[in-house]
Structure formats: structure tokens, C-alpha cells
Amino acid sequence: MSLPLRNRFPWNLDWNLLRTFMVVVEQRGISKAATHLGLKQPTVSAALKRLEVTVGKTLIIRKPNEFSITRAGQILYTQCATIFGTVSQIPAILDEGNADDLHGHLTIAITSSVISEHFDDFLNRFSIAHPKVTYSFTVYESDEVEKMVTLNRSSFGICLLSRIPKSLDTMVLYNEYFGLFCGARHRLFNAESIAIEDLEGEPFVAFQTEAEGGPLESISTLRSSLNLSRNWRGVSSSLNEIRRLIMADIGIGALPLHVARRDVEAGHIRQLPPYSNLPKVSIYLISNPARRYSEAEATFLSAIEAELSTIGIAERTYGPDPS
């Protein structure tokens, strides 16, 4: 007896086409995907066409100077990314039970300049207890970190959140306070005293996530209350690049107080008023409850949950108490 058409689909499908399609979407174009995969552009175009014929849907709108994904394409991409995340776990899953010692690999998607002594101490103790576990940390913007965990492409994520995602588990890794800073080249750097009024109209540099609804919107609110320049002079998603822009005197900008402390002590930057009631931002550890955790991943998650439960959030808050 032959299988019904829909039941034959997974047997007839060339699974390599799904991988190619996923790369086309992520690279935002066939040419870039071909370069990424080490293939020729016509090969990638033909693969995409074969996939569209197989699924019976148009997946990507291909026009000169335009790249857009159809609704069917978006749905299929999500499934492809989930499949890829599951397949990527296979080596770690197969390795389980091959040795008495815990071993495996943890992939962590992380936003830039996560500085936490508590997290570093935990990593140190975990690595000593489980020397055969390996790690890879890859830096993304916060929304990409959330996406990587949602699509099962990373074991865990560490990032800012503008809202708590319904499909993911979250816990506050630590809190940090942001202050305003200027570089040594700035006119106020050597001032004997600085008043709030001295900042009026000053050019500024900003994080991309300071936009309305973003996880750093509170910084934008503070800046507006001080009557700084209406438009940013520099922008970046990277804390290190915001630091560079501040020190080059492109404009004043916000940095976490505990991250900036070393540069302040070295005389590279100076904190500006206000010095109290500063924006507080939470850094989250996120995980996907739908993921089939390897033994190493499950042990890591259980251990860090236990660790954080014994350390009060006040102790994991870096910066002044606004009260």
C-alpha cells in the first residue's frame, strides 16, 4: 500500500534544501548565501526553486534590488531553524553515557560586555567541577540572543529584554545602573564642578536599544529630562563602541557604573550628573523549556538556578542604591 501524498512528503524531501533555504533567509540574499555555503549562485537559486516546487509555495519574492520573505517562507524558516537546532544537539546527546565524568558542549548567545563577578565565579566553579565540558560564547544584539534561544540554536542566552517572552524561561542574572559619562577630551572633563544645567544641548551617543519600547528606554528618558541635544551624534549596539565614541568626544553617553569604573579610575572618562535615581537595567539568563537539554546543559542550568537562589538580587545589583 502506498503512502498518502502528505505522508510521503518527508521521504521525498531533500533535507539539504531546508538548510540552503535557512541560510538564504539569514544572509538576506542568494548571492550572500552562495558565498556563505561555498556554492555558486545558480546552484543556490536552483535549490530554492526545487524547495518551492516541493512545498508548493512561493517562499521568497525575488526582484531586482528587493528581497522579501513570504508568510509561508517565514513559517518554513522557523521550522528549519528549529530542525537545525535539534540536529546540532545530536553529537552531545550521543556522547552522553560514554564516560563517567560529565562532558558536553554549551553554546551561549550573549550580548556585549556582560560584566558580572557572580557569573564569572559560577563559571569558574562549574568548570573546575566538570573539566570535560566545553563552551562557546557568541556575541549578538539582545533581540538576536532571544531569537537564537527561541529557535533552539543556542543552549542559553544572556541579554537585556524589553518584555518577558512567553515561550522562554527567564531569570535575572544581575542588575546594573547606568550613568552619563564624558571623555577626557570633553570641555567638562576638567571642570571643578558640573551642574545639571551644564549638560543642556550637549551632543550625545546612544545605544540602538534606547528607542521607545527598547530595553534601554530609561536612558533615553533620562537624557530627555536633561535637555540634551535632540538628536544623537553617534549610535551603536556595542557597549565597547559606545565607550569608544565617548572617549573620542563624539558625545556624552551612558555606561553601566561598574563597567565604567576602571576607565574612570584610569582618567579616561568622568561621570556626569545626575548621580542618583539613575536608570536600572536587568540582565537576564534565558532558556528554552522546549529544548531537549543534554546532560551538560541540564546540569549547568540546574546549578546556576541553585546558585542564584542563594544570592539575593540586592547582592547581584551593581551600582548605587537609588534611594
Side-chain angles (χ1 to χ4, degrees):
M1 178 184 295
S2 62
L3 291 171
L5 182 59
R6 285 187 176 273
N7 289 348
R8 291 202 306 268
F9 176 79
W11 300 96
N12 295 336
L13 175 67
D14 181 351
W15 291 69
N16 287 322
L17 300 180
L18 297 181
R19 182 186 62 178
T20 301
F21 171 69
M22 185 183 71
V23 175
V24 169
V25 173
E26 293 179 347
Q27 295 296 315
R28 302 292 301 175
I30 292 174
S31 297
K32 291 181 180 179
T35 300
H36 184 84
L37 292 167
L39 300 173
K40 294 182 179 179
Q41 183 174 335
T43 302
V44 176
S45 294
L48 179 58
K49 182 63 177 177
R50 284 177 56 203
L51 181 59
E52 289 180 325
V53 170
T54 302
V55 300
K57 301 284 185 180
T58 299
L59 303 173
I60 293 176
I61 304 299
R62 299 182 285 283
K63 295 181 180 178
N65 302 318
E66 180 183 346
F67 179 89
S68 59
I69 307 167
T70 65
R71 183 172 182 276
Q74 291 283 6
I75 293 171
L76 182 59
Y77 169 73
T78 300
Q79 295 301 314
C80 289
T82 302
I83 292 168
F84 184 88
T86 301
V87 171
S88 68
Q89 292 181 263
I90 290 176
I93 294 171
L94 293 179
D95 279 344
E96 291 180 7
N98 288 347
D100 293 334
D101 294 334
L102 180 69
H103 64 293
H105 185 73
L106 305 180
T107 58
I108 298 177
I110 189 169
T111 192
S112 68
S113 297
V114 169
I115 308 295
S116 168
E117 291 182 5
H118 293 93
F119 182 59
D120 292 347
D121 287 344
F122 168 78
L123 276 180
N124 173 253
R125 289 193 297 273
F126 190 85
S127 67
I128 292 173
H130 308 291
K132 293 186 178 180
V133 174
T134 57
Y135 312 80
S136 60
F137 284 76
T138 306
V139 176
Y140 301 95
E141 294 183 32
S142 286
D143 58 347
E144 284 296 309
V145 171
E146 184 179 341
K147 179 180 177 182
M148 293 295 287
V149 176
T150 300
L151 295 178
N152 216 18
R153 302 278 291 276
S154 291
S155 307
F156 310 105
I158 298 175
C159 63
L160 299 88
L161 293 173
S162 54
R163 45 145 187 79
I164 302 300
K166 294 181 180 179
S167 62
L168 300 178
D169 290 335
T170 65
M171 65 183 82
V172 176
L173 187 61
Y174 66 93
N175 291 325
E176 59 187 8
Y177 283 94
F178 277 77
L180 296 178
F181 295 86
C182 70
R185 298 175 176 86
H186 194 275
R187 64 179 182 84
L188 294 176
F189 184 81
N190 292 311
E192 199 167 307
S193 62
I194 304 173
I196 291 288
E197 294 75 20
D198 294 327
L199 304 183
E200 187 170 346
E202 277 292 314
F204 68 90
V205 298
F207 290 96
Q208 290 177 346
T209 47
E210 290 181 33
E212 184 177 354
L216 295 181
E217 182 183 3
S218 57
I219 295 175
S220 178
T221 302
L222 171 64
R223 191 172 54 241
S224 297
S225 71
L226 299 175
N227 294 319
L228 269 63
S229 174
R230 294 174 63 90
N231 300 309
W232 55 261
R233 196 177 176 196
V235 65
S236 178
S237 61
S238 166
L239 188 148
N240 286 330
E241 296 312 313
I242 290 294
R243 172 179 171 271
R244 183 198 305 276
L245 292 170
I246 293 171
M247 296 204 308
D249 196 25
I250 303 301
I252 66 176
L255 295 171
L257 297 182
H258 73 295
V259 176
R261 185 174 297 118
R262 183 175 297 180
D263 281 329
V264 171
E265 293 172 351
H268 299 316
I269 59 176
R270 175 178 178 176
Q271 187 177 357
L272 302 170
Y275 304 110
S276 61
N277 298 314
L278 296 174
K280 183 177 73 171
V281 175
S282 296
I283 306 297
Y284 291 86
L285 175 73
I286 60 177
S287 55
N288 189 344
R291 182 181 179 87
R292 199 286 197 187
Y293 289 119
S294 68
E295 187 179 0
E297 290 171 335
T299 302
F300 180 91
L301 184 59
S302 176
I304 197 166
E305 286 176 340
E307 173 96 359
L308 297 183
S309 69
T310 63
I311 304 173
I313 189 60
E315 188 177 343
R316 290 182 279 120
T317 296
Y318 306 129
D321 188 310
S323 61

